[in-house]
Amino acid sequence: MLHPAPLRADLAALDRTLVMGVVNVTPDSFSDGGRWYEPDAAVAHGLELLARGADLLDVGGESTRPGAARVDPDTERARVLPVIQELAGAGAVVSVDTTRAAVAHDAVAAGAAIVNDVSGGLADPAMYRLVAEAGVPYVAMHWRGHADVMDDLADYDDIVADVCRELAERVDAAVTAGVRPEQLVLDPGLGFAKPGRDNWPLLAHLDALVALGHPVLVGASRKRFLGHLLAGRDGGVDPVPPVERDLATAAVTALAAAAGAWCVRVHDVAGSVDAVRVAAAWTAARGEPGADDVRTGGHGG
Ligand code: PMM
């Protein structure tokens, strides 16, 4: 498994996809509706995700729900910093989900070990310098505009080729600004300027993104395209609500892990921890002489 650097030794030694648990310290996230908005509740939730097997925790203070308005930097800081400090102090490897260099700076000072930027550096021209100086892994997600406008920016010729090209441009810009290539993680940005069915080719061709040579993070958890996929499941026509998308999320985790994803970012950790184990066993068996065992009846059951 290709990990970004630097990463805590016990995680860097793992030869499987990592599971990142989501801790949204927001009143209005689409996926968990502000349930962990108070710092104490957010910390308790993060600890619970760790107990369920999360390898990393992603702490964010600004909703990226389609149509969401921006929060000011001081509010964002006040939401995330105490939570990061507590969780890092409790031994968690924490990433900060922010598009602002100043917030990322303070988050790293508070103990964050990874910067997760849904704008891939496009929202704040100071971000790459900050990441270069902080020296931590940096998740650059594919992005075309903030949540209030992104649904109008979903025009692609060939979505897989376009996303790969635009992410490769982010890699070049980051490296030019002093970020070391091994710090970089790439993310297709599912649901960001990508309505409904546009997301499936990105998942089905994850190998094209993996081929860019950096670890890949996939954030499919509870997203709209899964709600639309499952619509009609019970005879209805409406998308199923976010909390009913966890089984489908775990299925995506298994497929993404088998396709070589470095990490999945999820709300329901337990399902994805199991899915990663399934994918790891599946992948390992592909390198073993299993067909012979089957032919000789060596599969005990
Ligand atoms: N999705 C959301 C927020 N942050 N970060 C990365 N790297 N990738 C994602 O797909 C991503 C993200 C939106 O989901 P949420 O509101 O449930 O956190």
Side-chain angles (χ1 to χ4, degrees):
M1 176 59 64
L2 175 65
H3 293 283
L7 189 67
R8 203 172 72 189
D10 57 327
L11 296 184
L14 294 174
D15 191 21
R16 61 158 170 81
T17 302
L18 304 190
V19 176
M20 171 185 273
V22 178
V23 182
N24 282 323
V25 199
T26 56
D28 59 344
S29 177
F30 83 96
S31 51
D32 43 17
R35 289 177 63 199
W36 330 110
Y37 182 41
E38 295 301 324
D40 287 352
V43 170
H45 182 54
L47 295 176
E48 192 185 318
L49 295 179
L50 284 180
R52 291 184 182 194
D55 302 301
L56 310 161
L57 296 176
D58 188 42
V59 178
E62 181 170 34
S63 173
T64 50
R65 178 176 49 86
R70 300 220 60 193
V71 300
D72 65 84
D74 286 339
T75 303
E76 192 186 350
R77 261 195 203 86
R79 288 177 182 176
V80 298
L81 295 183
V83 177
I84 291 171
Q85 200 158 17
E86 283 264 347
L87 289 173
V93 177
V94 178
S95 66
V96 59
D97 187 345
T98 185
T99 61
R100 292 185 168 114
V103 175
H105 173 274
D106 293 354
V108 170
I114 298 174
V115 174
N116 172 26
D117 177 359
V118 299
S119 83
L122 287 169
D124 186 341
M127 185 59 103
Y128 297 145
R129 286 291 331 144
L130 177 276
V131 170
E133 279 159 25
V136 295
Y138 175 66
V139 182
M141 199 193 79
H142 179 262
W143 182 90
R144 286 184 166 182
H146 284 289
D148 53 345
V149 295
M150 68 181 178
D151 281 351
D152 299 327
L153 302 170
D155 203 12
Y156 299 94
D157 290 329
D158 171 338
I159 190 161
V160 176
D162 291 354
V163 166
C164 286
R165 188 187 61 255
E166 289 170 35
L167 279 174
E169 287 166 11
R170 294 299 92 222
V171 170
D172 286 348
V175 170
T176 302
V179 177
R180 287 178 295 120
E182 57 269 31
Q183 287 175 259
L184 289 168
V185 174
L186 302 181
D187 181 331
L190 302 176
F192 287 78
K194 296 166 200 87
R197 283 198 291 267
D198 276 1
N199 292 281
W200 290 108
L202 289 168
L203 283 168
H205 297 283
L206 210 59
D207 52 332
L209 196 50
V210 171
L212 293 178
H214 297 274
V216 169
L217 188 148
V218 172
S221 187
R222 295 185 181 172
K223 285 192 174 159
R224 280 180 298 177
F225 73 100
L226 295 178
H228 285 288
L229 176 77
L230 300 176
R233 187 186 56 181
D234 307 322
V237 290
D238 294 333
V240 305
V243 291
E244 291 180 30
R245 301 172 190 169
D246 284 336
L247 298 177
T249 298
V252 173
T253 290
L255 293 165
W262 165 68
C263 182
V264 289
R265 178 185 180 279
V266 294
H267 303 85
D268 171 50
V269 161
S272 282
V273 165
D274 284 359
V276 162
R277 290 180 87 106
V278 169
W282 180 291
T283 305
R286 289 179 75 91
E288 290 171 5
D292 289 350
D293 287 356
V294 172
R295 278 199 299 272
T296 57
H299 56 307

